Amino acid sequence: SQQGEEDPQALSIQEGENATMNCSYKTSINNLQWYRQNSGRGLVHLILIRSNEREKHSGRLRVTLDTSKKSSSLLITASRAADTASYFCATDADDYKLSFGAGTTVTVRA
Amino acid sequence: GAVVSQHPSWVICKSGTSVKIECRSLDFQATTMFWYRQFPKQSLMLMATSNEGSKATYEQGVEKDKFLINHASLTLSTLTVTSAHPEDSSFYICSARDRRRTGSSSYNSPLHFGNGTRLTVT
């Protein structure tokens, strides 16, 4: 079942700008993961943040997690044209299955 | 990194025929594989969880007789869409967890995805 809700649905930015997207979920989780999907392709894992972590960095990516608000954000800094893709958050609860959000489509204009 | 190969990447078939999609973990063993379906511009919907050596677990609303799943080895799971109809046209994606990450640590391990199969039923 789909647990995550992502905001915004779509985002268009200029190359070099930062992109921020948010994810909210409903139940308690073990971790939250962010994935990227290029058009017509599978998903690529970007970053995983555990329920006891509040912030995590990986290269130009910064993820925050607020378990009290059941929300997470993904920030992509200094965006590039290659960052154009759909981004999904996914929550990992107690049943080994990931539940994906609706996704945010990011377009980076050159 | 862990690689999941999914084949074919696209297939066109006639209504009433069956189509088999393969999902292989190339450099790791996967006790569990997951099959997702994705409609255009929508999220991934989990169809079933494929367990090596046992029957697959299907999500509510997914017809197990229509979507046959076989997980015969630690590196291969197949999804067969039987008697396909145009409404089965979709993007099917498999994913797998590394067997070495099973147990309590699996809660904090990512999924590795295949590149998906675009199925068009005419």
Side-chain angles (χ1 to χ4, degrees):
Chain A
S1 61
Q2 188 173 324
Q3 171 170 216
E5 296 286 337
E6 296 192 54
D7 170 58
Q9 285 188 329
L11 184 59
S12 180
I13 56 174
Q14 199 74 31
E15 202 166 26
E17 293 180 339
N18 296 341
T20 300
M21 59 210 86
N22 304 294
C23 169
S24 60
Y25 56 93
K26 297 174 185 173
T27 63
S28 61
I29 59 173
N30 292 306
N31 66 69
L32 186 143
Q33 303 177 32
W34 285 90
Y35 289 81
R36 184 186 73 228
Q37 183 182 34
N38 290 91
S39 182
R41 307 280 292 192
L43 276 70
V44 174
H45 174 76
L46 295 176
I47 198 164
L48 180 153
I49 186 165
R50 301 181 186 194
S51 60
N52 61 354
E53 296 175 313
R54 292 295 166 260
E55 188 172 313
K56 204 161 183 180
H57 298 253
S58 176
R60 294 183 295 112
L61 305 179
R62 173 178 169 257
V63 168
T64 63
L65 178 64
D66 187 335
T67 52
S68 66
K69 295 181 179 178
K70 291 187 169 59
S71 68
S72 174
S73 68
L74 170 66
L75 167 68
I76 305 173
T77 61
S79 63
R80 305 167 182 169
D83 295 328
T84 294
S86 292
Y87 292 83
F88 294 91
C89 68
T91 52
D92 195 342
D94 289 330
D95 56 3
Y96 290 85
K97 297 183 287 191
L98 286 186
S99 295
F100 284 85
T104 295
T105 299
V106 175
T107 303
V108 181
R109 306 185 306 273
Chain B
V3 177
V4 174
S5 173
Q6 187 172 339
H7 178 80
S9 55
W10 61 270
V11 58
I12 301 172
C13 70
K14 292 187 176 181
S15 189
T17 61
S18 295
V19 173
K20 180 185 283 188
I21 302 170
E22 290 188 350
C23 181
R24 292 180 185 274
S25 56
L26 296 186
D27 49 1
F28 67 98
Q29 293 182 326
T31 307
T32 304
M33 290 185 175
F34 302 91
W35 287 95
Y36 292 85
R37 182 173 182 176
Q38 185 180 33
F39 290 103
K41 300 189 186 301
Q42 292 190 26
S43 186
L44 281 73
M45 300 302 295
L46 180 65
M47 298 175 64
T49 302
S50 168
N51 299 297
E52 187 266 336
S54 64
K55 291 183 179 180
T57 304
Y58 290 81
E59 294 300 300
Q60 193 172 9
V62 177
E63 299 176 59
K64 53 185 72 176
D65 293 332
K66 176 136 189 90
F67 299 100
L68 299 179
I69 290 173
N70 184 278
H71 194 153
S73 76
L74 286 171
T75 59
L76 174 64
S77 176
T78 60
L79 168 67
T80 300
V81 183
T82 63
S83 187
H85 289 99
E87 57 266 30
D88 298 324
S89 298
S90 190
F91 192 57
Y92 294 87
I93 311 175
C94 71
S95 66
R97 269 205 170 105
D98 191 333
R99 182 189 189 206
R100 292 168 296 181
R101 308 294 295 274
T102 57
S104 60
S105 65
S106 69
Y107 287 140
N108 291 310
S109 64
L111 289 183
H112 306 290
F113 282 83
N115 275 329
T117 297
R118 173 75 57 195
L119 171 63
T120 302
V121 185
T122 60

